[in-house]
Amino acid sequence: MFFANFESLQYEDLKDYKTLYQAIITASKAAKGKVYLFIDEIQEVPSWERVINSVRVDCDCDIYITGSNARLLSGELATLLSGRYVEISVYPLSFCEYLEFAKTNDDEAGLSTEQHFSNFLRYGGLPGIHEMKWDDAVLLRYLLDMFNTVLLKDVIKRNKIRDIDLLEKVVLYLMDNIGNTFSAKTISDFLKNQGRKLSTETVYTYIKALESAFLIHKVPRFDIKGKRLLETQEKYFVSDLGLRHATRGYRDNDIGGMLENVVFLELLRRGWTVNIGKQGSYEIDFIATHTDERLYAQVCYILTKDNTQREFEPLEAIDDNYEKVVISTDSLTGFNRNGIKQRNIIEFLLDT
């Protein structure tokens, strides 16, 4: 096993790529059989890709590299490693994982599944929250510090953004509008009404930087009938609801958007490609595709006499035989209308 923590000065010499390469080769010669190499924060080593490409050729090994900056793990890899890699996206904890982590915290261990889900909506899925005293002020302080660190290191510094105040306004607008369709022009017009000028192009630049740091996810709009992606009126969801509530506060009347955010992230974790949908005049919350499979999903808080038709009608208008579900917090499950099932969101999240 070869270990190096590049946040420690103990391994400062290994930040020279030639020295790191030689240390790995020396360790691998002493190994028996295949070598498994794990390097965290690989971006701390200038010319790291030369090390990885060379070790791949010179050793019988499996190599795993991680980095905190999202751009390292996407666009740059294609160039630096010439396609010789598989990218594995890592998300905050799923609800199933959240329950396992909660067992390790004495303050959480005795809570019901419903109470855990309420906390999951409020504090999100970052593992660090389960190592702390279960106190609202403590948890939100941790989440706010985490948000500010990512914003400063992976967004502002890396993209050399000067007008930090305007960037923060864009971030807050996005977090206030999870689950709503809008465009960069919508944000630009909103800021102009507040007396701040920001071009649509700059808004797109800021949004792209936030996406690259995995703070937000863009969900394109898909025209089911026309079978094409639309260029406007997309949705944005946050990578972790805890980060959103640390910056904007928790508001019960945002529950619809929060539930959509949870379902969206769960679909990503399960390997689906996710779009929002348009079917004539109807809007579909999610169209999830995976190879030859497809799932249509509507998400709402509670089904009532007033909204049942509104939630089921868009799915009934889709003329194919793929699975269609309405996901809500209702405790009574199994309701079926024209082959479209209603599912409880907790059951959906735990159905692995």
Side-chain angles (χ1 to χ4, degrees), residues 4 65 103 145 155 174 194 198 200 217 237 240 251 319 331:
I65 61 173
K103 294 176 183 177
D145 289 343
V155 179
L174 291 168
Q194 292 193 331
L198 188 64
T200 302
H217 296 274
F237 291 104
D240 184 79
R251 300 186 293 263
D319 187 22
S331 57

Side-chain angles (χ1 to χ4, degrees), residues 153-200:
K153 290 177 61 178
D154 290 348
V155 179
I156 295 172
K157 283 189 175 180
R158 184 166 183 101
N159 296 279
K160 297 180 175 61
I161 293 175
R162 296 178 181 178
D163 198 332
I164 298 173
D165 180 63
L166 269 179
L167 172 66
E168 290 177 343
K169 289 185 182 300
V170 171
V171 173
L172 296 180
Y173 185 92
L174 291 168
M175 291 193 169
D176 273 338
N177 287 277
I178 60 169
N180 296 327
T181 56
F182 58 89
S183 64
K185 187 177 185 305
T186 308
I187 302 176
S188 179
D189 291 343
F190 171 78
L191 293 174
K192 285 179 182 177
N193 290 335
Q194 292 193 331
R196 299 299 305 269
K197 291 185 178 181
L198 188 64
S199 69
T200 302

Side-chain angles (χ1 to χ4, degrees), residues 271-286:
W272 297 90
T273 299
V274 186
N275 293 294
I276 59 173
K278 178 181 182 298
Q279 169 78 350
S281 60
Y282 294 116
E283 296 291 335
I284 314 297
D285 287 337
F286 297 117

Side-chain angles (χ1 to χ4, degrees), residues 38-265:
F38 298 84
I39 304 180
D40 191 18
E41 305 297 354
I42 188 66
Q43 75 277 1
E44 296 294 329
V45 180
S47 299
W48 60 267
E49 70 280 0
R50 300 184 66 177
V51 179
I52 298 304
N53 280 325
S54 185
V55 169
R56 182 183 58 80
V57 172
D58 297 338
C59 299
D60 177 19
C61 60
D62 278 354
I63 305 170
Y64 300 83
I65 61 173
T66 70
S68 59
N69 190 287
R71 192 176 295 176
L72 166 69
L73 299 178
S74 52
E76 289 181 1
L77 282 181
T79 301
L80 298 174
L81 298 185
S82 304
R84 299 182 182 93
Y85 69 94
V86 174
E87 181 179 341
I88 302 172
S89 297
V90 180
Y91 301 98
L93 300 177
S94 68
F95 187 53
C96 287
E97 294 166 334
Y98 178 98
L99 293 176
E100 290 300 313
F101 274 70
K103 294 176 183 177
T104 67
N105 188 316
D106 291 339
D107 294 335
E108 301 177 81
L111 299 179
S112 67
T113 302
E114 289 72 21
Q115 289 172 316
H116 281 305
F117 182 67
S118 178
N119 286 337
F120 184 62
L121 288 179
R122 184 179 295 270
Y123 301 116
L126 295 185
I129 62 176
H130 301 286
E131 299 177 357
M132 300 183 175
K133 179 178 175 57
W134 205 251
D135 176 85
D136 189 68
V138 172
L139 295 173
L140 291 179
R141 182 71 256 174
Y142 162 76
L143 291 168
L144 185 60
D145 289 343
M146 182 70 71
F147 171 81
N148 288 333
T149 298
V150 175
L151 192 68
L152 179 63
K153 290 177 61 178
D154 290 348
V155 179
I156 295 172
K157 283 189 175 180
R158 184 166 183 101
N159 296 279
K160 297 180 175 61
I161 293 175
R162 296 178 181 178
D163 198 332
I164 298 173
D165 180 63
L166 269 179
L167 172 66
E168 290 177 343
K169 289 185 182 300
V170 171
V171 173
L172 296 180
Y173 185 92
L174 291 168
M175 291 193 169
D176 273 338
N177 287 277
I178 60 169
N180 296 327
T181 56
F182 58 89
S183 64
K185 187 177 185 305
T186 308
I187 302 176
S188 179
D189 291 343
F190 171 78
L191 293 174
K192 285 179 182 177
N193 290 335
Q194 292 193 331
R196 299 299 305 269
K197 291 185 178 181
L198 188 64
S199 69
T200 302
E201 291 75 16
T202 303
V203 173
Y204 275 122
T205 298
Y206 285 177
I207 288 176
K208 194 65 180 176
L210 294 167
E211 285 184 81
S212 294
F214 283 134
L215 277 175
I216 62 170
H217 296 274
K218 177 183 176 180
V219 191
R221 199 160 175 243
F222 184 77
D223 184 344
I224 299 173
K225 187 175 181 180
K227 297 182 179 180
R228 62 190 178 93
L229 286 174
L230 303 174
E231 296 181 357
T232 60
Q233 296 302 301
E234 59 268 12
K235 285 187 180 182
Y236 290 90
F237 291 104
V238 294
S239 62
D240 184 79
L241 284 173
L243 299 180
R244 187 235 186 192
H245 297 144
T247 57
R248 302 307 291 153
Y250 182 90
R251 300 186 293 263
D252 288 330
N253 58 352
D254 293 340
I255 187 66
M258 288 188 277
L259 295 176
E260 282 190 38
N261 208 122
V262 167
V263 171
F264 167 72
L265 289 175

